[in-house]
Structure formats: C-alpha cells, structure tokens
Amino acid sequence: MVLLNLSGGSAVEHLKFLKEQLGTKSCPLPFPSPTAARDYACGFHNESEDEHRGPGRSFVPASNAALKGFEELHRHLLHCAFEASPQEELTLDQDATFIETETSGALYNYKGKRSYEALNVYCPEYDLAVATEFRDGNVNPGYGQLEQLKEVLAHLPEGVKKVRYRSDSAGYQTRLLRYLAEGGDARFGVIEFALSCPICAEFRKAVEAVCETDWHPLGNGREWAEVVYAPQSLSLSKRGPTYRFLAVREPFDLEKSVKKRRLSLELEDSRQLRIPELIEDLEGEKERAKKLHLTELGGRVYKVFGIVTNMEDLDGGAIIRWHRERCGKSEEVHRILKYDLAGGHVISHRFGANAFWWNVAVLSLSLHSLLKRLLLPSEVRACRPSTLRFLFYTSVGRIVRHARRVVLRVKEGVTGSWLLGAYRRLEKLSFSLE
C-alpha cells in the first residue's frame, strides 16, 4: 500500500498496475489483489461503534486493535527520526482537514458537503505527521484537540526538552489554552503557543481602539499591533498566566470588490459614512467575505485577523511570522496527502476501512520524509512525493532474475548515483526497525 502511494496510485484498483510495473514476475512478492486489499482494510472497522455515529453530534469511533497499531507506528517513526538527528526543541502543529467524497457512508460537514475529516499533529523539524485521527465530516474540527495533544506529548522521545505549539482558531478553547499556559503537562510544564483567535465584536472594538501610531509594518502591506483585550473565559485570576493578543490588518480594496460584485451602490463624497453599508452588502453577496472580518480603521477598510500567545519576550511581528509558518507547511502537508498521495480518495462506505486507507497515506508521507532526510542528497530535501516520483521512484531501474540471481538493473546517471548513495547510508543507520 505504501508503494502504491509513493508510485502515484490513488485507488485500490491500481494495485494490479503497480504489480506489473514492479516486474514481480521476475521477483515474486506477496502482492494483494484489489479484492484482497479491500477485505483486509475492512478488518480495521469497529462495527460496534457505528450506532453512535450520525449527524448532529461530535463522535469519534474508538479504534479497534488493528487501527491502534497505526498510532504506535507513527510514534515509532518519530523516534527513528529523533535517533538519527536528536533535537531538544520541537514544534507541534495541530490542524484538521476535510476529505470530500460522495460515498454514502460519509456525513455532511459544516460547509454542507459530504466528507470525512482528519485531525493531525505535524512536527516541522522532522517533516512528520506524528499523530492523526480519522473522523466523520460532521465532527467539530476542534473536538478532542487537547486529548490528542496530551497523547502526543506523552510519547515524545525522552531527549526532547521543550515543545512549542501552533494551531488555527479551532484550537481557541479555554481548556486547551489554560493547559498550555498554566503548565498542565507534568513533563514540559508551560508550553509556548500561538493560535488564531476568533474575531468577535469585543475583539474588533479592541482593534478599533488601537492608535494609528501603534501599528507596525509586517511586510506586503500588512501591519500588526498589540491589542488590549481580556476575554472573561481566560481572565479568571490576577495571578494567572499572561495572554497576549495581537492583531494583523491588511488593506482591502472595497470599491473594487463592490464593482466586481456588481452591487447597485455608488460611492458618495462622504465615503466614510457608506463604508459599513458597503461591507454589509458585500458580505451578504459573498459568504466568504465574512471570514475576512472587514473593519474600518481611520477611514480605510482592512481585513483583520487575531492571534493569542503566551510568549512574552518575543516581538509581536516575530510571533506572527512564526505562527504563519504553520499555514505554509502543515496545510501543505494536507494537500500532499490528498493530492500527491492517495489520502484524498476513500475506498469503502465502512468508516474503519477508510481510516486504514488514510493512515497508509500518512505512513507513506512519513517514510517519504525519512527517506529524503536520511538517505537522499540534500538537494531533494524540499521535493514533494510527485517530484521525487518523477526524479527517482519511477526511473531508477527494474528488478530482473538473471543467472540464478535477483538483480536490480539501475540506469546510469544521477538517479543511479542517488541509489548507490542511499544504499550506503542505509547500511550505516543504527536505529532499530523492530
């Protein structure tokens, strides 16, 4: 199944083509048929949990013994990466993604589309998804975030001394924030974090109260400012932890957007008096505009975003840039899993079978990352699976049987030298694969 993912297959039926490509007639391998693979995947389904699934509730079926094996495997690969390259500080990015499908067993998400969902914890230092939980599409994206994070923290390699955490607004939960800020974890204590925060009416008022001179450049026309904001849910004690709220504003061309939407409104000389009405009409015309949190500041219109953090000694701009690295990488991982690998496809109406299929995609990406880090030259470190597939996986050589020997015939050139180098590095690896 991993070979299927890395070679570009996206469906169980592609196994028969992969078998032909690998030349298994010359080197027989225990290769499953598509039917056998589907039957095997059904062994990961916990049928006793089906009755609890359904619309209108956030419920995640308990994993059976087979599916729990993936949890141990994802942790084991992190330990392998750590043994090869120990690091005392790690970053954990937690984020959910939808896997859209028309399969009858899938439930509708809040966007009104049939889908499944996966909640992942990604470690950028090792480019590994260290945990994943497959769910129904109707489950709240923030459901069970703290519980999953606790599991990950409990199984990090012993040499890790410090952890930092990032998430989108789904992670803005009182229990999660207080656990991080108040040192709820016995091993790591207070964990530094940066999370997106919802733009509620109170936060918007706090942003509007910021003086123009207190806005600082962030690059690409964006600016940031410290916001005086103390939500009641987090302000429980004067001796409690300090939460910093940062706002980011980005100029928005309201006139251009109004004209593009062909709204029957004309800007008057007293433009500032019409801005609230224009924003309301634009948001009514296009639902996605509401997510931009358009706000008038000093007679101009801006998109506004917020971040909450417990980092006191770091400049606000540096915190925002660090937090936005999550969008650049962990969300890219979702795209790779769903489009470069087979994670965007489901194979059954059975929940457990699809959970198996998703976990195989995650496993494939982890092995791809380890392969690049430990065996291949540095110039391919940034390659996605589709690129490495073109450069390496499908062009190295072919397995043949000759003179009573099984031989891998390798093409001359760059890929051949890569393979030889990878083989020599593989011999030197000292960590256990058992």
Side-chain angles (χ1 to χ4, degrees):
M1 296 296 186
V2 170
L3 289 173
L4 180 68
N5 273 264
L6 294 179
S7 62
S10 60
V12 177
E13 288 74 16
H14 295 162
L15 282 167
K16 54 187 177 183
F17 300 108
L18 179 62
K19 184 176 181 179
E20 294 177 4
Q21 289 179 349
L22 291 177
T24 52
K25 293 180 180 179
S26 301
C27 182
L29 295 173
F31 223 87
S33 67
T35 301
R38 288 183 185 278
D39 292 341
Y40 178 75
C42 288
F44 293 78
H45 181 65
N46 190 350
E47 193 169 356
S48 63
E49 294 286 282
D50 279 349
E51 61 184 85
H52 304 294
R53 298 170 55 219
R57 68 184 77 176
S58 287
F59 174 78
V60 180
S63 300
N64 61 12
L67 199 55
K68 282 184 177 294
F70 274 111
E71 298 176 14
E72 298 178 12
L73 190 52
H74 297 320
R75 295 168 188 162
H76 177 68
L77 292 180
L78 174 62
H79 281 256
C80 288
F82 180 84
E83 287 184 34
S85 177
Q87 296 196 41
E88 292 189 353
E89 297 186 14
L90 295 183
T91 304
L92 298 178
D93 295 334
Q94 195 172 29
D95 200 5
T97 185
F98 288 122
I99 305 158
E100 295 184 3
T101 177
E102 294 300 323
T103 304
S104 59
L107 300 176
Y108 289 94
N109 59 29
Y110 67 84
K111 297 180 180 180
K113 297 182 179 180
R114 283 187 182 272
S115 71
Y116 289 100
E117 178 187 323
L119 179 63
N120 306 310
V121 178
Y122 169 76
C123 177
E125 285 80 7
Y126 291 116
D127 194 18
L128 292 177
V130 298
T132 185
E133 184 177 71
F134 192 80
R135 309 151 148 215
D136 283 308
N138 69 313
V139 175
N140 187 316
Y143 179 78
Q145 277 197 232
L146 177 56
E147 289 71 22
Q148 186 190 50
L149 178 61
K150 286 181 178 179
E151 280 290 313
V152 171
L153 293 172
H155 292 91
L156 289 179
E158 292 183 3
V160 178
K161 305 299 182 184
K162 181 179 179 179
V163 173
R164 297 199 296 177
Y165 175 83
R166 299 182 293 204
S167 176
D168 60 9
S169 58
Y172 188 84
Q173 306 169 31
T174 301
R175 288 178 58 240
L176 177 57
L177 292 173
R178 294 186 62 187
Y179 183 85
L180 298 170
E182 297 177 5
D185 189 83
R187 176 180 170 185
F188 295 104
V190 174
I191 295 175
E192 294 181 340
F193 66 83
L195 297 87
S196 301
C197 68
I199 310 299
C200 59
E202 291 76 13
F203 185 85
R204 197 187 296 258
K205 289 180 181 178
V207 172
E208 293 172 350
V210 176
C211 296
E212 280 297 313
T213 55
D214 291 332
W215 289 97
H216 310 283
L218 192 60
N220 297 324
R222 295 171 299 166
E223 297 174 299
W224 72 273
E226 197 101 18
V227 178
V228 180
Y229 177 63
Q232 187 175 0
S233 60
L234 298 177
S235 306
L236 301 178
S237 172
K238 293 182 179 180
R239 298 181 179 179
T242 300
Y243 298 93
R244 294 174 64 190
F245 285 86
L246 309 172
V248 178
R249 71 179 188 181
E250 181 178 336
F252 183 80
D253 193 335
L254 185 62
E255 296 181 33
K256 182 178 179 181
S257 297
V258 168
K259 292 177 181 178
K260 191 174 182 180
R261 301 286 173 255
R262 298 180 180 179
L263 300 178
S264 56
L265 294 168
E266 295 181 359
L267 298 176
E268 299 177 350
D269 293 336
S270 56
R271 179 177 178 274
Q272 64 273 18
L273 299 178
R274 299 294 304 277
I275 288 179
E277 182 181 348
L278 291 171
I279 291 175
E280 183 179 352
D281 284 320
L282 180 62
E283 291 179 339
E285 178 75 11
K286 188 175 181 181
E287 186 68 22
R288 292 182 61 183
K290 293 182 179 180
K291 296 183 179 181
L292 302 178
H293 311 295
L294 301 179
T295 304
E296 179 188 2
L297 299 172
R300 298 187 62 185
V301 178
Y302 295 90
K303 295 185 285 186
V304 175
F305 308 95
I307 291 175
V308 59
T309 180
N310 64 340
M311 300 181 188
E312 298 185 52
D313 301 327
L314 201 60
D315 172 73
I319 294 173
I320 293 168
R321 283 186 284 269
W322 175 72
H323 177 259
R324 291 202 166 189
E325 289 176 7
R326 176 196 66 83
C327 303
K329 193 58 186 178
S330 66
E331 293 184 4
E332 179 191 3
V333 168
H334 293 162
R335 291 193 293 272
I336 292 174
L337 285 167
K338 292 190 288 186
Y339 303 115
D340 282 21
L341 302 175
H345 178 72
V346 298
I347 63 172
S348 173
H349 66 279
R350 291 177 178 268
F351 177 90
N354 294 326
F356 158 79
W357 187 254
W358 171 260
N359 273 273
V360 169
V362 174
L363 172 61
S364 303
L365 182 57
S366 295
L367 291 174
H368 163 82
S369 298
L370 285 172
L371 173 70
K372 290 191 300 180
R373 174 178 288 271
L374 302 179
L375 302 181
L376 294 180
S378 58
E379 55 260 36
V380 299
R381 288 278 176 88
C383 288
R384 292 171 59 150
S386 57
T387 304
L388 201 58
R389 183 182 305 140
F390 171 75
L391 295 175
F392 190 61
Y393 293 151
T394 59
S395 62
V396 170
R398 187 173 181 84
I399 299 174
V400 297
R401 185 182 294 274
H402 176 70
R404 297 184 180 181
R405 293 186 302 166
V406 176
V407 179
L408 174 61
R409 286 186 175 173
V410 181
K411 296 180 180 179
E412 293 182 351
V414 176
T415 54
S417 64
W418 285 2
L419 181 65
L420 182 59
Y423 181 77
R424 288 171 176 170
R425 294 186 187 96
L426 184 62
E427 291 182 314
K428 295 179 181 179
L429 288 181
S430 60
F431 58 75
S432 171
L433 295 178
E434 297 180 359

